[in-house]
């Protein structure tokens, strides 16, 4: 059978256009939790008047409520947390914010599971929407060529986005005040057991850990040069999750020892005795605070900032 080259090219072009269009729709309209456009504003515009910035992964955006910091401290706060955000990406988003922002304090979420990950290209399309061309190019350089091409053609994460959207449909999620994601769902004991991802979990360092630690150091060094006080926080897990981790105290010591050497404050709420977090009241699932848990940690940290006179 004779192949018509012209028709083949036209057909291929139409096919690529259809895939691209579907992907664009999935990434913007049916993205995880359905609030992409609100969750990813242009960083420079969103943060330019901020006195306090909150950075990190989903533990950050679900764990720190800017409204509480603003009320208690009389300041302007913005939460820049995004899903699966490794410190490599946190650094670039921090530097993007610094182009127009001049905060006095930065809170950085540090989640031990994230330290073991490479950049998740599934979320790159959302991250690059919020940054300048210069920062976008730096982020893309962190990806292997094959993943860079997927991002360029926007064919990432369609199945993941749809499955997460469906899985989270029943939860009372909302893009809240200044980047905070308000989740009023309370985890049940049954769901904590069924969805728990920490059974027999053991933390081990790998080359991703060391790379991410390097970028945490870059945030610290850059903050110090700019006269910004930086605080690192590990938000709590339900007790039922922590109990399943075989070597949590080793994880805590690894992080704490490194940050102590860098001369920065570190709060690990899996180790601190106060405030008390209740599994079925303060968490939405096995590793995220809900609205009520976020209120507790935000109240605590705002009081710590006030006590240490960080805005004096």
């Amino acid at each position: 059978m004779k192949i018509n080259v012209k028709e083949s090219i036209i057909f291929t072009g139409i096919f690529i256009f259809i895939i691209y269009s579907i992907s664009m729709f999935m990434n913007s309209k049916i993205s995880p939790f359905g609030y992409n456009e609100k969750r990813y504003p242009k960083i420079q515009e969103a943060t330019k008047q901020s006195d306090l910035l909150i950075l990190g992964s989903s533990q950050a955006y679900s764990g720190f409520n800017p409204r509480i910091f603003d009320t208690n401290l009389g300041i302007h706060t913005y939460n820049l947390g995004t899903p699966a955000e490794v410190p490599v990406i946190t650094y670039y988003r921090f530097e993007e914010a610094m182009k127009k922002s001049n905060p006095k304090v930065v809170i950085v979420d540090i989640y031990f599971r994230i330290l073991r990950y490479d950049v998740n290209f599934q979320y790159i399309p959302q991250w690059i929407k919020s940054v300048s061309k210069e920062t976008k190019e730096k982020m893309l350089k962190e990806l292997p060529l094959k993943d860079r091409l997927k991002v360029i053609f926007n064919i990432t994460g369609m199945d993941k986005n749809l499955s997460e959207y469906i899985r989270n449909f029943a939860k009372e999620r909302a893009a809240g005040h200044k980047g905070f994601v308000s989740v009023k769902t309370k985890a049940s004991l049954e769901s904590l057991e069924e969805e728990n991802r920490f059974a027999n979990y053991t933390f081990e360092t790998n080359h991703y850990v060391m790379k991410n630690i390097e970028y945490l150091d870059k945030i610290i060094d850059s903050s110090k040069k700019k006269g910004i006080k930086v605080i690192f926080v590990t938000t709590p897990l339900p007790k039922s999750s922590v109990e399943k981790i075989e070597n949590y105290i080793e994880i805590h010591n690894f992080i704490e020892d490194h940050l102590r050497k860098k001369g920065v404050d570190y709060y690990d709420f899996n180790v601190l005795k106060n405030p008390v977090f209740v599994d079925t009241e303060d968490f939405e699932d096995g590793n995220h605070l809900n609205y009520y848990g976020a209120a507790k940690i935000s109240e605590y940290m705002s009081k710590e900032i006030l006590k240490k006179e960080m805005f004096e």
Side-chain angles (χ1 to χ4, degrees):
M1 184 179 71
K2 187 176 180 180
I3 299 174
N4 188 311
V5 176
K6 184 177 179 180
E7 287 182 1
S8 297
I9 292 173
I10 293 172
F11 176 80
T12 302
I14 292 172
F15 177 77
I16 292 173
F17 175 77
I18 291 171
I19 293 296
Y20 177 82
S21 299
I22 293 172
S23 181
M24 287 287 286
F25 176 79
M26 296 290 281
N27 277 314
S28 62
K29 301 302 180 186
I30 314 181
S31 57
F33 323 129
Y35 47 63
N36 239 15
E37 298 306 319
K38 291 182 180 180
R39 284 289 303 126
Y40 296 91
K42 295 294 183 184
I43 289 176
Q44 291 186 38
E45 293 304 312
T47 64
K48 63 183 179 181
Q49 294 182 324
S50 296
D51 305 299
L52 168 63
L53 286 181
I54 296 161
L55 304 165
S57 65
S58 54
Q59 271 64 30
Y61 73 60
S62 64
F64 300 99
N65 187 341
R67 195 183 299 277
I68 292 174
F69 288 95
D70 290 355
T71 300
N72 290 350
L73 301 172
I75 60 171
H76 295 286
T77 306
Y78 201 91
N79 191 325
L80 279 175
T82 63
E85 184 178 303
V86 294
V88 176
I89 295 299
T90 301
Y91 169 72
Y92 289 125
R93 286 169 58 79
F94 168 71
E95 289 297 323
E96 178 77 8
M98 291 304 100
K99 292 175 181 177
K100 285 192 177 181
S101 176
N102 187 31
K104 290 187 176 181
V105 180
V106 170
I107 293 176
V108 182
D109 144 60
I110 182 166
Y111 180 33
F112 60 92
R113 291 185 76 243
I114 288 292
L115 288 180
R116 299 190 71 246
Y117 295 164
D118 195 5
V119 175
N120 188 334
F121 78 91
Q122 301 277 7
Y123 294 99
I124 282 282
Q126 282 78 48
W127 288 325
I128 62 179
K129 285 179 183 179
S130 61
V131 298
S132 62
K133 182 180 178 181
E134 177 188 6
T135 304
K136 171 184 174 180
E137 290 172 353
K138 290 177 180 177
M139 285 183 175
L140 290 177
K141 284 180 181 178
E142 297 293 340
L143 299 175
L145 179 59
K146 62 180 178 65
D147 289 346
R148 245 180 278 174
L149 292 173
K150 289 179 180 179
V151 171
I152 291 169
F153 288 102
N154 200 35
I155 55 175
T156 64
M158 291 185 289
D159 58 332
K160 179 182 177 67
N161 287 353
L162 182 58
S163 65
E164 288 197 14
Y165 179 81
I166 293 170
R167 183 169 58 86
N168 288 278
F169 184 77
K171 293 184 178 180
E172 302 173 47
R173 286 183 178 267
H177 183 66
K178 293 183 177 181
F180 172 61
V181 176
S182 173
V183 186
K184 294 190 175 181
T185 303
K186 295 181 180 181
S188 66
L189 289 175
E190 293 78 12
S191 68
L192 289 174
E193 190 60 36
E194 290 172 5
E195 299 172 11
N196 200 296
R197 61 183 67 180
F198 295 101
N200 301 316
Y201 179 90
T202 302
F203 179 87
E204 296 177 353
T205 58
N206 58 19
H207 70 282
Y208 295 134
V209 171
M210 303 321 295
K211 181 179 180 180
N212 282 317
I213 290 291
E214 175 190 340
Y215 276 83
L216 289 178
D217 289 349
K218 286 186 176 186
I219 295 171
I220 294 169
D221 295 341
S222 180
S223 296
K224 287 181 177 179
K225 286 180 183 178
K226 295 176 173 68
I228 299 169
K229 299 177 181 69
V230 60
I231 306 168
F232 285 85
V233 177
T234 296
T235 58
L237 298 172
K239 286 185 176 62
S240 56
S241 293
V242 177
E243 289 169 355
K244 287 181 168 58
I245 301 171
E246 294 187 358
N247 62 337
Y248 188 78
I249 195 62
E250 292 178 25
I251 299 170
H252 167 81
N253 290 340
F254 171 77
I255 297 171
E256 183 181 53
D257 289 348
H258 183 81
L259 294 178
R260 185 188 295 117
K261 290 174 185 175
K262 295 295 292 184
V264 295
D265 291 335
Y266 175 50
Y267 295 81
D268 183 350
F269 286 91
N270 291 314
V271 174
L272 292 171
K273 302 301 181 185
N274 290 299
V276 175
F277 295 91
V278 181
D279 284 13
T280 54
E281 292 293 325
D282 298 316
F283 297 90
E284 65 155 305
D285 57 27
N287 63 323
H288 293 95
L289 290 168
N290 61 18
Y291 174 85
Y292 309 101
K296 287 183 178 180
I297 200 171
S298 300
E299 288 284 354
Y300 183 95
M301 288 309 304
S302 60
K303 289 175 182 176
E304 284 293 296
I305 289 170
L306 190 63
K307 183 173 70 177
K308 294 190 175 187
E309 300 180 339
M310 290 187 174
F311 283 99
E312 294 299 320

